[in-house]
Amino acid sequence: MLAYLGMAFVLFITIFPVYWLAQNSFKLDIDIFAVPPVWFDFSPTLKHYEAAFIGQPFLTYAFNSLAIAMATTIVSLIFGTMAGYALARFEYPGQWRYQISFWILSTRMMPPIVTIIPLFIFFNFFNLLNTRLAVVVAYTAFNLPFVTWMMKSYFQDLPPELEEAAMVDGDTRWGAFLRIALPLARPGIAATAIFSLILAWNEFLLALILTQTERSMTLPVGISGRVTQYTTHWGEISAAGFLASIPIIIFALIVQKHLVRGLSLGAVKG
Amino acid sequence: MVRSESGTLTAQLRPGGGLERWAERHLRILMLAPTLLILAGLTLFPTVYMLTAALQKVSPDPSVPREFVGLGNFARMLTDPELHLAVRNTVVFTSVAVTLEFLLGLGLALLFDKYIRRLNFLKTILLVPMMIPPIAVALTWKLIYQPQFGVLNELMYRLGLPAQAWAGDVNLAMATIIAADVWEWTPFIFLLMLAGLASLPSEPYEAAQVDGASAWRQFWDLTIPFLKPVIAIALLLRIMDALRLFDLVFILTVGGPAGATETLSLYIFKVAFTFVDIGYAAAISLVVLFVTVGFSTWFIKRLRLAD
């Protein structure tokens, strides 16, 4: 009984903040600022959604976020899948395989703020600041260790016999990778792709530094810009924040089965 | 071994262009190369750049030439009270937040594993906070903590307690950041622990039952040792993330009031992009990089994660 009561409390704490954000996005300003807060009895409005997406360039931000997330995912999947396959299947002389795997994993531990200054200078030098390309390059670099590790563990779980059979039948190693291993790893690739999309969609710090113009900003950066020192456009940012959350929640629910494995870099067998 | 040998063998037997054969023979390197090059770019270039910048005084005005200052920037770190505060805040935040997340996450997972197994959909609901973009999490809590019209102060009022400034109060600001972080990331620990519990073998528990071991003994002598690897990974990932806390403080407090919530990430950000003191920012970054990568390297080696 006590367990159920505790559970109910935990569920309430989990859900209430999300509900509160969503509810505020449908309130008129007068109800948002009401003291005591209005719980149920307010007339819902779409005013803030209109303001966010017609009066403000949130649609541009959302498009940037989507384009950047997709490009990042495609590029890191191509390179990361190849690297993951190589580390899962090939032998390397001496300790190299272990050393390389280890090094790739350790780059995942780098704090972004530490590398952002040189990256900023680098992109500035090539005149790439405030472009989507710069953000894609930075995100790809940070996503690659993750994708490589996910794919390495998927390929390690696949039996190598099928590829060997194909090679005995005259296929090349590369052909066996393309025609046998890749199709078999499809569920793993799909899960990794969605994770990569989520990481890129949610990222804030790198985008904040690399994009400062309205045309190039991502959604998180655009939303944060509406929180100013003196006024915060509560209705608008609630609407944008709530909308930015929905696709991710749906995505994440789809890959729920793979969540554990993905988040722990494939190190924990879920 | 056999795998790659047969791979090269078939490649040599196959007719085809010289380039194709060369590529097939060097596939193990070619498939790895793009990733290695990109990661080298991500790690080596910034490290070398920062090594040189850290030894210089870089003026915000690009027309002023850089001045070599040796270890001056590093010496400055020793006497920079704001940096010391940021380090202290980061350590306090990381240790308190990760401890709470771990205890709550493990507790919830045990509860679910034992009592609420059938209610699977509840698990899904519990995972929602960690899926929401961190920026939306930060905004949500900013809204709740609002001193004038926030729902938390309404709760205080109903309970007959005095209203608080929350994120605006020097003594409470860090607690508000920790609470929001615990809300966001406890689900992550919960999920990892659930997975760990699901993979426990049942035989030792049956044996323990026969021996009449108490539930507490079983937990302490069986569950915890079995979960150890999962716990270690969960803690490593959470500690690494907590050490680079940025989004929550940037939105909730911008490091204030009076530096009470300034973290290392935020301080480096300020030094580099507000004060445009690149040399000093590079020096701090290098030390942070050295400490975190050193720590995680030690941890990964200990866990034998790369095997």
Side-chain angles (χ1 to χ4, degrees):
Chain A
M1 192 57 218
L2 205 63
Y4 285 95
L5 271 177
M7 240 12 265
F9 179 70
V10 170
L11 281 172
F12 175 77
I13 300 270
T14 303
I15 283 308
F16 178 76
V18 187
Y19 160 74
W20 198 245
L21 179 81
Q23 191 223 37
N24 267 276
S25 71
F26 295 111
K27 278 179 179 171
L28 287 167
D29 281 342
I30 187 165
D31 290 327
I32 293 178
F33 294 110
V35 180
V38 183
W39 294 82
F40 303 107
D41 186 23
F42 62 90
S43 35
T45 173
L46 288 175
K47 199 179 93 160
H48 301 302
Y49 287 88
E50 215 180 295
F53 287 93
I54 297 166
Q56 288 283 317
F58 277 98
L59 215 52
T60 311
Y61 304 152
F63 173 78
N64 287 338
S65 273
L66 193 65
I68 287 168
M70 290 190 11
T72 302
T73 301
I74 291 168
V75 178
S76 22
L77 266 184
I78 291 173
F79 295 146
T81 303
M82 289 199 300
Y85 183 79
L87 288 172
R89 285 288 188 264
F90 294 133
E91 289 296 327
Y92 292 89
Q95 285 275 299
W96 275 100
R97 183 161 114 159
Y98 175 80
Q99 293 297 349
I100 293 170
S101 302
F102 172 73
W103 179 66
I104 290 178
L105 187 60
S106 72
T107 58
R108 158 100 179 147
M109 304 301 170
M110 270 188 133
I113 188 74
V114 161
T115 47
I116 194 66
I117 300 164
L119 283 180
F120 180 84
I121 309 271
F122 174 81
F123 288 126
N124 191 27
F125 183 80
F126 289 103
N127 249 326
L128 287 172
L129 284 182
N130 299 317
T131 64
R132 287 188 288 261
L133 179 64
V135 185
V136 170
V137 171
Y139 283 8
T140 299
F142 278 97
N143 264 4
L144 262 177
F146 168 76
V147 175
T148 305
W149 267 79
M150 286 275 283
M151 292 319 299
K152 174 177 177 258
S153 68
Y154 275 107
F155 285 126
Q156 275 172 339
D157 283 355
L158 289 180
E161 285 79 20
L162 289 166
E163 292 146 65
E164 279 160 19
M167 287 189 286
V168 169
D169 289 344
D171 209 340
T172 57
R173 169 56 92 168
W174 175 252
F177 165 69
L178 280 186
R179 281 181 284 274
I180 312 287
L182 268 190
L184 284 175
R186 218 180 292 152
I189 296 172
T192 310
I194 291 171
F195 270 112
S196 170
L197 280 172
I198 294 178
L199 284 177
W201 180 269
N202 283 354
E203 207 284 333
F204 177 62
L205 175 59
L206 293 168
L208 177 73
I209 292 166
L210 295 177
T211 66
Q212 266 144 29
T213 58
E214 266 186 7
R215 279 189 47 214
S216 62
M217 270 183 201
T218 62
L219 201 50
V221 182
I223 296 173
S224 80
R226 300 299 286 162
V227 184
T228 61
Q229 192 81 37
Y230 304 103
T231 52
T232 298
H233 305 263
W234 282 113
E236 245 173 79
I237 59 170
S238 300
F242 181 55
L243 276 185
S245 311
I246 291 176
I248 297 305
I249 293 179
I250 292 172
F251 261 165
L253 294 184
I254 295 171
V255 283
Q256 213 204 342
K257 264 197 305 194
H258 306 277
L259 264 174
V260 178
R261 182 169 214 178
L263 287 166
S264 55
L265 286 166
V268 186
K269 299 284 175 185
Chain B
M1 262 173 315
V2 179
R3 286 177 239 148
S4 57
E5 271 164 23
S6 67
T8 18
L9 195 66
T10 37
Q12 278 160 354
L13 292 174
R14 252 174 75 93
L19 185 67
E20 205 179 308
R21 254 163 64 191
W22 179 85
E24 178 72 16
R25 215 165 352 181
H26 294 88
L27 204 55
R28 75 185 71 180
I29 295 157
L30 290 176
M31 286 181 86
L32 206 50
T35 296
L36 291 186
L37 287 176
I38 294 171
L39 290 181
L42 173 73
T43 52
L44 297 182
F45 163 72
T47 312
V48 171
Y49 175 87
M50 284 192 300
L51 271 173
T52 54
L55 302 175
Q56 297 173 322
K57 189 172 159 66
V58 185
S59 165
D61 179 357
S63 64
V64 177
R66 295 167 161 221
E67 185 191 329
F68 183 79
V69 291
L71 296 177
N73 283 322
F74 293 95
R76 197 175 139 195
M77 290 173 64
L78 298 174
T79 56
D80 177 355
E82 207 176 340
L83 175 67
H84 298 171
L85 186 60
V87 171
R88 214 195 65 147
N89 287 338
T90 305
V91 170
V92 168
F93 168 80
T94 303
S95 44
V96 177
V98 175
T99 306
L100 287 176
E101 283 156 21
F102 173 67
L103 294 177
L104 286 170
L106 178 63
L108 278 173
L110 288 169
L111 202 63
F112 257 94
D113 197 54
K114 261 225 160 80
Y115 299 100
I116 333 187
R117 273 218 156 138
R118 280 160 300 143
L119 301 175
N120 240 323
F121 69 97
L122 289 183
K123 272 188 231 167
T124 310
I125 296 178
L126 285 184
L127 301 182
V128 165
M130 72 177 199
M131 298 165 186
I132 296 177
I135 188 83
V137 172
L139 292 172
T140 304
W141 285 94
K142 199 177 169 79
L143 194 61
I144 290 171
Y145 289 139
Q146 265 305 309
Q148 293 90 26
F149 57 89
V151 72
L152 190 55
N153 266 345
E154 168 69 9
L155 181 72
M156 297 292 279
Y157 175 76
R158 298 249 170 130
L159 294 174
L161 298 166
Q164 302 290 339
W166 302 116
D169 183 319
V170 183
N171 299 312
L172 292 174
M174 183 52 93
T176 64
I177 304 272
I178 290 173
D181 195 76
V182 168
W183 181 81
E184 188 179 2
W185 291 112
T186 297
F188 174 71
I189 306 262
F190 166 68
L191 190 60
L192 286 186
M193 293 304 140
L194 265 187
L197 288 174
S199 62
L200 291 185
S202 57
E203 295 84 12
Y205 288 91
E206 284 152 18
Q209 218 113 55
V210 172
D211 293 346
S214 67
W216 177 249
R217 272 232 86 83
Q218 289 182 31
F219 171 72
W220 207 241
D221 291 343
L222 293 174
T223 310
I224 290 292
F226 275 124
L227 283 184
K228 229 177 185 175
V230 192
I231 292 175
I233 290 161
L235 288 180
L236 171 71
L237 291 171
R238 273 314 300 144
I239 291 172
M240 293 287 92
D241 274 352
L243 286 175
R244 51 185 175 230
L245 171 75
F246 184 84
D247 311 31
L248 271 179
V249 278
F250 188 79
I251 295 295
L252 278 177
T253 61
V254 209
T261 57
E262 184 141 285
T263 61
L264 268 171
S265 285
L266 194 71
Y267 186 57
I268 295 175
F269 174 84
K270 275 191 194 166
V271 171
F273 297 100
T274 310
F275 312 143
V276 203
D277 196 343
I278 303 289
Y280 188 44
I284 305 174
S285 296
L286 266 182
V287 174
V288 171
L289 182 67
F290 188 77
V291 172
T292 48
V293 172
F295 170 74
S296 51
T297 301
W298 172 78
F299 214 96
I300 295 170
K301 285 234 152 117
R302 248 189 81 106
L303 294 177
R304 317 194 123 270
L305 278 183
D307 282 345

